[in-house]
Amino acid sequence: MSHKTTSSSNPNRPYVPTPISSVAFSLTPSQQQQKKKKKKKKKTDRETMAVRRLSSSSLLTSPSKSPLLPLLRRPFSFSSSSSDDKTVLTVETSVPFTGHRIDPPSRSVETTPKELVGFFRDMSMMRRMEIAADSLYKAKLIRGFCHLYDGQEAVAVGMESAITKKDCIITAYRDHCIYLGRGGTLLEAFAELMGRTAGCSKGKGGSMHFYKKDSGFFGGHGIVGAQVPLGCGLAFAQKYNKEDTVTFAMYGDGAANQGQLFEALNMSALWDLPAILVCENNHYGMGTAEWRAAKSPAYYKRGDYVPGLKVDGMDAFAVKQACKFAKEYALKNGPIVRHNPETIEILEMDTYRYHGHSMSDPGSSYRTRDEISGVRQERDPIERIRKLVLSHELATAAELKEIEKLVRKEVDEAIAQAKESPMPDPSELFTNVYVKGYGVEVNDLSMSLLTPFFGVFSPFQIHILIKSYFH
Ligand SMILES: Cc1ncc(C[n+]2csc(CCOP(=O)(O)OP(=O)(O)O)c2C)c(N)n1
Ligand SMILES: [Mg+2]
């Protein structure tokens, strides 16, 4: 698996990041008055209030005295350290949306102080989790394939804020943060990464195979693109069961060129399924820049007859607006209507991954360090929200640092607890397989034959492959 390909900094075809205007926001007249009043208050008053808000936050308060239960029970909540969910703030997206066969939504996005500060904390939590996973991998406590999501957090957070847990999400192997967003806990995530029984797949799936029962999260998938037809199948079930819900099927710019995607798109459009295809365009498929793999890298237009929207995927509020719009659009007239030719859409999220493709890829041989640091400086999703929080005076810089400190502590606690969890018993190798009592012993020959597939399949999928090969 080589990551050494022509650099995207090739002068003929450079990677051009989305231009970002400075953080823009607008306030209604009453909000402006409120802001003026606030300014008059003494700084100390404001800080005392904010510290009170911080300490009353659900995420930062242990619901139990047991050392294990807090992390097991505590969902990754989108409540914020600010308790104010009544004041409506209007935030402008960084850049306008671009539509294909559709009028794009407004750039003005409504939010509340609670949501705004919540976005900051939730994205900081995701970022910290991925950085910690990097260290655990280097310490050999996480093994096998491991694909990190840092840089792309705004997609997970913005999407989650626009939908409910009854809507479905299905994604590929870059799944840790989507899992947290769906309500997974840090303990379940780290335990799974380290192959422990407290993990969300009982330690049997690893990084690429996170699942969350009864949460509308249909997990990570190692076969590139295969999750898209499965997602359309979920949308079929939603329509069949007459549910007012939708499925977000996520895939990368690399997967966007696969045939199965177009087959799934055709059937979904034909059957008016409430499916929303979300292309996370991080501009690289492993070490291959998008322009080397796609004749047309305008992925939001690639559905031809299917409407599409290009979204700044580094702006959580743009993602929120786009996902809300897409869900409403997909459900327009309800999924039960026999012929609604406009249910399915493609959302292209213009995003960026800071890490390499996986832990075996340093991520710097096919793109320049300047490119990576440029995106960090200009477009970082967390820094954007930090600026918004500060400009709305919802917290001070010191308070935001405190949130980051608490997030770090919570991640460290989860890792310590995950390490306490045992590895699965070897007998577990024969559970959760398709056909009961149909297992086979894995011998050295079959293991060596299947080694190349280890990154793609989970140990249990490999078991099934062995089974079907030898029977
Ligand atoms: C069917 C299939 N082909 C090839 C691979 C190897 N592979 C794993 S990830 C990847 C790149 C996918 O890139 P993209 O869709 O852009 O997603 P990203 O990793 O950027 O999130 C490839 C080619 C695979 N796992 N499955
Ligand atoms: Mg990609």
Side-chain angles (χ1 to χ4, degrees):
M1 216 177 294
S2 168
H3 300 288
K4 280 180 191 149
T5 52
T6 312
S7 164
S8 68
S9 55
N10 178 331
N12 298 324
R13 303 292 294 271
Y15 160 72
V16 186
T18 304
I20 297 294
S21 59
S22 57
V23 173
F25 61 92
S26 63
L27 300 177
T28 61
S30 68
Q31 287 163 9
Q32 279 168 0
Q33 263 189 347
Q34 248 182 333
K35 202 179 161 192
K36 272 182 200 162
K37 271 187 203 167
K38 256 191 188 173
K39 270 191 177 172
K40 284 181 193 163
K41 281 189 180 178
K42 281 184 186 170
K43 196 183 168 201
T44 45
D45 279 357
R46 191 158 49 77
E47 287 185 350
T48 318
M49 285 278 289
V51 169
R52 209 178 296 147
R53 284 200 308 267
L54 283 177
S55 56
S56 67
S57 132
S58 64
L59 193 71
L60 307 174
T61 313
S62 290
S64 156
K65 284 189 178 140
S66 148
L68 247 173
L69 278 178
L71 286 161
L72 281 174
R73 281 194 192 152
R74 189 187 307 156
F76 186 76
S77 94
F78 280 81
S79 64
S80 82
S81 57
S82 164
S83 55
D84 182 359
D85 59 355
K86 299 281 181 296
T87 308
V88 178
L89 308 172
T90 308
V91 179
E92 291 283 303
T93 64
S94 53
V95 286
F97 299 99
T98 316
H100 165 67
R101 299 175 71 104
I102 197 170
D103 289 331
S106 157
R107 286 178 69 179
S108 302
V109 192
E110 291 199 340
T111 185
T112 61
K114 181 174 175 171
E115 184 179 68
L116 192 42
V117 183
F119 276 9
F120 178 81
R121 194 187 48 217
D122 297 340
M123 285 199 279
S124 303
M125 180 80 81
M126 291 174 176
R127 177 77 51 94
R128 188 65 213 154
M129 177 179 73
E130 296 299 61
I131 304 295
D134 176 282
S135 306
L136 290 169
Y137 197 94
K138 286 172 180 154
K140 296 195 181 345
L141 283 161
I142 298 175
R143 292 179 178 260
F145 273 67
C146 181
H147 307 82
L148 303 179
Y149 198 74
D150 49 319
Q152 301 186 204
E153 299 92 345
V155 178
V157 168
M159 182 170 64
E160 203 59 62
S161 69
I163 62 174
T164 74
K165 296 289 185 284
K166 286 186 178 162
D167 294 306
C168 297
I169 299 181
I170 189 164
T171 189
Y173 40 82
R174 211 176 289 287
D175 55 359
H176 313 161
C177 296
I178 306 288
Y179 174 78
L180 279 197
R182 289 270 88 184
T185 66
L186 286 169
L187 172 60
E188 291 161 344
F190 280 114
E192 192 54 48
L193 286 171
M194 291 192 266
R196 315 291 173 130
T197 52
C200 52
S201 301
K202 298 182 181 173
K204 301 198 286 184
S207 163
M208 300 205 298
H209 303 94
F210 276 30
Y211 296 94
K212 180 135 186 67
K213 217 176 151 215
D214 306 326
S215 72
F217 180 49
F218 289 84
H221 297 263
I223 314 282
V224 168
Q227 71 280 6
V228 177
L230 291 176
C232 294
L234 291 169
F236 181 91
Q238 287 168 320
K239 181 175 177 178
Y240 186 80
N241 292 328
K242 301 183 169 46
E243 291 169 11
D244 262 355
T245 53
V246 297
T247 293
F248 287 78
M250 307 178 74
Y251 58 100
D253 46 298
N257 302 309
Q258 280 194 339
Q260 61 178 323
L261 200 119
F262 297 94
E263 295 171 43
L265 197 69
N266 176 52
M267 284 170 78
S268 304
L270 205 57
W271 295 342
D272 310 329
L273 303 183
I276 293 154
L277 270 54
V278 181
C279 177
E280 286 190 279
N281 181 7
N282 58 16
H283 304 280
Y284 296 92
M286 297 178 83
T288 306
E290 61 176 346
W291 62 266
R292 301 184 70 232
K295 181 70 185 170
S296 160
Y299 301 103
Y300 68 107
K301 291 186 189 168
R302 295 278 292 274
D304 180 13
Y305 47 87
V306 166
L309 206 59
K310 185 168 179 180
V311 183
D312 179 4
M314 303 296 265
D315 175 354
F317 286 106
V319 176
K320 175 187 165 182
Q321 186 83 329
C323 292
K324 192 167 165 275
F325 174 82
K327 182 179 169 179
E328 279 164 15
Y329 193 81
L331 293 180
K332 203 162 66 179
N333 309 320
I336 50 170
V337 172
R338 177 72 184 88
H339 186 72
N340 170 16
E342 293 180 342
T343 53
I344 183 165
E345 287 147 282
I346 294 180
L347 299 179
E348 179 188 342
M349 304 291 180
D350 179 356
T351 184
Y352 200 80
R353 63 165 154 75
Y354 293 150
H355 263 90
H357 166 71
S358 70
M359 288 305 297
S360 60
D361 168 24
S364 51
S365 53
Y366 49 85
R367 54 185 188 175
T368 62
R369 289 194 188 279
D370 284 353
E371 178 185 303
I372 306 167
S373 58
V375 177
R376 276 188 190 276
Q377 270 166 26
E378 297 291 319
R379 304 185 60 206
D380 187 82
I382 302 179
E383 292 314 310
R384 180 178 160 76
I385 299 296
R386 190 194 304 273
K387 281 181 199 152
L388 274 172
V389 171
L390 293 176
S391 54
H392 278 271
E393 298 187 349
L394 300 173
T396 63
E399 286 162 4
L400 292 182
K401 285 259 173 262
E402 186 61 23
I403 291 177
E404 289 175 302
K405 221 170 111 187
L406 288 164
V407 157
R408 206 182 168 118
K409 189 165 166 263
E410 193 147 355
V411 167
D412 291 347
E413 276 172 23
I415 294 170
Q417 290 184 11
K419 283 180 184 168
E420 299 292 308
S421 171
M423 299 278 182
D425 189 85
S427 64
E428 283 289 311
L429 189 61
F430 300 97
T431 61
N432 307 118
V433 290
Y434 259 116
V435 186
K436 269 189 188 161
Y438 205 53
V440 292
E441 294 292 324
V442 181
N443 60 31
D444 286 349
L445 173 70
S446 54
M447 276 306 239
S448 57
L449 284 173
L450 288 159
T451 302
F453 297 107
F454 270 120
V456 176
F457 302 112
S458 78
F460 291 88
Q461 286 170 317
I462 289 169
H463 166 68
I464 292 162
L465 279 175
I466 295 168
K467 183 198 71 188
S468 41
Y469 183 78
F470 290 102
H471 287 263

